[in-house]
Amino acid sequence: MKQQLLIGIASIGMLISASAQAQNIFEALGETYNTNPTLQAERAYLRSIDENVAIAKSGYRPNIALVGSYRDIDNEDDNGDNGVKNKTMAAKFSQPLFNGFSTVNSVKSADQAVRAAQNNLYNVEQNVFLEASTAYLNYVRDSAIVELQKNNEKLLKKRLDETQQRFNVGEVTRTDVSQAKARYSQAMSDRIASEGALEASKAVYIKIIGSVPQNLDEPTAIIDFLPKSYDSALTLALKNNYSIRQAKHLYNAKGYEVYANTGALLPQLSFDASASKVKSENDNKLIGDNTTDNVEWGLNLSIPLYNSGESRARIRQSKHQKWQAQEIIQETERYVRASVSSAWEYLKANESKIRAIKDQVRANEIALDGVQKEEALGNRTILDVLDAYQELLNSNVNEVTARRDYYVSAMQLLLSMGKLTAKDLKLGVDLYDAKKIYKETKDKWLALE
């Protein structure tokens, strides 16, 4: 069945000029992968989310600071001027030792949020690929329709000239000429409209893919990526769909967030140390100048009792958010099931529609030939011939449109399955390694880039 459909689909490609430099859909998607601004922006956003792990890990690390101050105190009494100038330099060090496991759980929550964002990047990639594929297929469709309309216009122009010549010798009436002229004018109008639609498709193609479309091939190779049955498509979707994966990681992140907020109710312990030098310059010569060096360290313990209810409110809030995240998983799974079912049914419907329209095209070709012969014998009118031309054109246009719809539904099915990615389509591009960038980012201490 798949081979028969492949042969049938390939036939319409003859309407588009073949070229050794024709661009296929995989090359177009590869260009999209490398240049599309939406994808580039989402990758930058993901890198910003990566930094949340480094921010959370800062709770493990010490705070070190140099502090300086200058104070000029003017003080006069009966003994004269007793002003003092104090200059202080100090180094302070603080290392958290225990904060109710808030840092541990904050890191885990941030890690899960990063994984959710990574899956969202794949979602964005797939949606961009669907837009690019649709733009590609719209251009293929509109190019074929333009060729059909041009060919129809030439045939009707020839028919008009023949009718005019027959009218000049008295074989047909002025009505026949007017009918032929009206159909030719309609063909010209339809050709102009189809060229306008092609230019609009071209503009969308450039916007999404980034280059001018030239000699695009019909994407018959996409058939090789399709599942053999609905059950296999649904199984793959529930396992691989990136929206489901994203929702599950967000649920995990919210769970750790509850634990992180609960840590605010537990004791907080830190090690603090400082070294300082204070130099005092006295205006009173009897007292003189003085320099003091001070080093101190110690453990600081804080046991929260009540902080106006803020901590408890945050805990309740995060629990509700976790509950919400759990419901989103259920909602996403339902959506994926519906998407797979819808895409599969559209795919099969369009597949059957293509076969039916091909039969219609063949029948209309035979009918046109018969009507032309009958008209030559005087058994049919010129209007009958013109109607036969229009019916054949309509069926050809319907076939082109049905093929476009078939491929779009195939792309939508691949997206629902989580298989419309550069990796799964085996595009010849350097894959963006989000996991590698994350590993390089999460343990940075001092870098600014």
Side-chain angles (χ1 to χ4, degrees):
M1 178 65 70
K2 185 179 286 188
Q3 291 180 343
Q4 292 176 351
L5 182 62
L6 184 60
I7 294 172
I9 291 175
S11 62
I12 200 67
M14 297 177 63
L15 290 169
I16 306 173
S17 58
S19 171
Q21 297 180 345
Q23 184 181 35
N24 61 46
I25 196 168
F26 300 106
E27 293 170 339
L29 292 179
E31 184 175 357
T32 304
Y33 186 81
N34 290 327
T35 64
N36 184 268
T38 301
L39 261 179
Q40 300 292 341
E42 190 64 26
R43 289 166 187 163
Y45 173 73
L46 175 58
R47 292 193 294 271
S48 74
I49 298 299
D50 291 344
E51 299 294 344
N52 285 336
V53 177
I55 293 171
K57 283 191 171 185
S58 66
Y60 289 130
R61 300 165 185 163
N63 289 312
I64 305 172
L66 292 176
V67 179
S69 67
Y70 173 82
R71 300 180 66 190
D72 189 343
I73 303 173
D74 291 328
N75 186 16
E76 295 185 6
D77 55 22
D78 295 339
N79 296 321
D81 189 356
N82 292 320
V84 180
K85 296 180 177 63
N86 288 333
K87 300 177 182 178
T88 304
M89 289 292 296
K92 294 185 177 182
F93 176 90
S94 179
Q95 172 63 58
L97 299 178
F98 181 76
N99 62 353
F101 304 107
S102 290
T103 297
V104 174
N105 290 299
S106 293
V107 171
K108 291 181 178 179
S109 177
D111 176 77
Q112 289 297 313
V114 167
R115 296 180 190 278
Q118 289 173 349
N119 283 280
N120 186 62
L121 174 61
Y122 284 118
N123 264 333
V124 172
E125 179 182 325
Q126 289 193 119
N127 281 292
V128 168
F129 277 2
L130 180 60
E131 290 182 6
S133 301
T134 302
Y136 183 101
L137 292 165
N138 286 348
Y139 189 84
V140 171
R141 176 199 61 193
D142 294 340
S143 296
I145 291 176
V146 167
E147 293 301 317
L148 287 169
Q149 295 290 0
K150 285 182 177 179
N151 184 57
N152 184 59
E153 183 181 355
K154 290 178 182 178
L155 291 173
L156 291 177
K157 180 63 169 66
K158 181 179 180 182
R159 172 59 64 173
L160 173 61
D161 293 340
E162 291 174 351
T163 305
Q164 184 67 50
Q165 291 174 2
R166 293 174 66 186
F167 171 76
N168 293 338
V169 298
E171 291 185 7
V172 297
T173 66
R174 185 176 299 277
T175 301
D176 294 322
V177 175
S178 296
Q179 288 173 337
K181 185 174 183 180
R183 289 299 177 89
Y184 170 67
S185 297
Q186 179 184 345
M188 186 182 300
S189 173
D190 291 342
R191 187 260 305 164
I192 294 172
S194 67
E195 289 176 339
L198 179 62
E199 286 301 311
S201 295
K202 178 181 178 180
V204 175
Y205 184 101
I206 295 172
K207 169 181 173 289
I208 298 173
I209 298 176
S211 64
V212 177
Q214 294 181 345
N215 300 320
L216 305 186
D217 286 339
E218 191 165 335
T220 54
I222 288 297
I223 297 174
D224 297 333
F225 294 89
L226 298 178
K228 295 181 179 180
S229 67
Y230 168 76
D231 289 337
S232 62
L234 182 60
T235 300
L236 285 171
L238 294 176
K239 179 182 178 181
N240 297 319
N241 184 273
Y242 290 106
S243 293
I244 294 177
R245 291 184 177 185
Q246 179 188 7
K248 289 181 177 179
H249 284 299
L250 285 176
Y251 171 75
N252 293 336
K254 293 302 179 181
Y256 287 122
E257 197 171 297
V258 173
Y259 297 138
N261 289 332
T262 303
L265 301 180
L266 300 177
Q268 314 289 311
L269 178 66
S270 66
F271 171 81
D272 299 295
S274 66
S276 62
K277 178 187 286 291
V278 181
K279 183 177 182 180
S280 300
E281 298 178 356
N282 291 278
D283 293 336
N284 190 328
K285 301 302 183 180
L286 296 176
I287 299 176
D289 297 340
N290 183 44
T291 300
T292 303
D293 293 325
N294 183 48
V295 176
E296 63 179 81
W297 63 270
L299 297 174
N300 289 315
L301 175 65
S302 173
I303 299 177
L305 296 179
Y306 186 70
N307 66 341
S308 304
E310 178 184 354
S311 298
R312 289 166 174 79
R314 290 186 182 276
I315 293 170
R316 296 194 302 270
Q317 182 185 58
S318 57
K319 286 181 177 179
H320 292 310
Q321 291 173 345
K322 180 183 177 182
W323 188 4
Q324 178 192 28
Q326 186 175 17
E327 294 301 321
I328 289 176
I329 293 176
Q330 302 294 328
E331 178 187 9
T332 305
E333 288 180 347
R334 290 184 181 184
Y335 174 80
V336 169
R337 287 178 183 273
S339 297
V340 172
S341 178
S342 176
W344 180 264
E345 293 303 324
Y346 275 121
L347 183 72
K348 291 299 159 183
N350 286 319
E351 186 177 313
S352 299
K353 186 177 179 181
I354 290 171
R355 287 195 293 268
I357 294 177
K358 284 181 70 65
D359 292 339
Q360 182 185 24
V361 170
R362 285 192 293 269
N364 281 329
E365 289 173 345
I366 295 171
L368 175 60
D369 181 64
V371 170
Q372 286 177 321
K373 291 178 179 178
E374 291 174 6
E375 191 267 339
L377 297 174
N379 296 327
R380 293 277 189 167
T381 65
I382 289 178
L383 182 60
D384 293 330
V385 176
L386 296 174
D387 287 341
Y389 272 128
Q390 188 64 44
E391 288 178 5
L392 177 58
L393 172 65
N394 290 342
S395 58
N396 278 323
V397 170
N398 288 339
E399 183 183 1
V400 170
T401 302
R403 294 183 187 285
R404 176 265 180 198
D405 294 343
Y406 171 82
Y407 287 118
V408 170
S409 59
M411 293 295 185
Q412 290 172 334
L413 179 60
L414 290 175
L415 185 149
S416 298
M417 295 163 54
K419 294 295 183 181
L420 193 61
T421 65
K423 181 179 179 180
D424 291 300
L425 295 176
K426 299 180 175 60
L427 303 183
V429 296
D430 293 330
L431 296 177
Y432 182 82
D433 195 341
K435 293 182 179 179
K436 178 182 177 182
I437 294 174
Y438 168 54
K439 289 180 180 179
E440 294 172 349
T441 300
K442 65 179 183 178
D443 292 317
K444 289 181 178 179
W445 282 53
L446 300 173
L448 295 177
E449 298 291 340

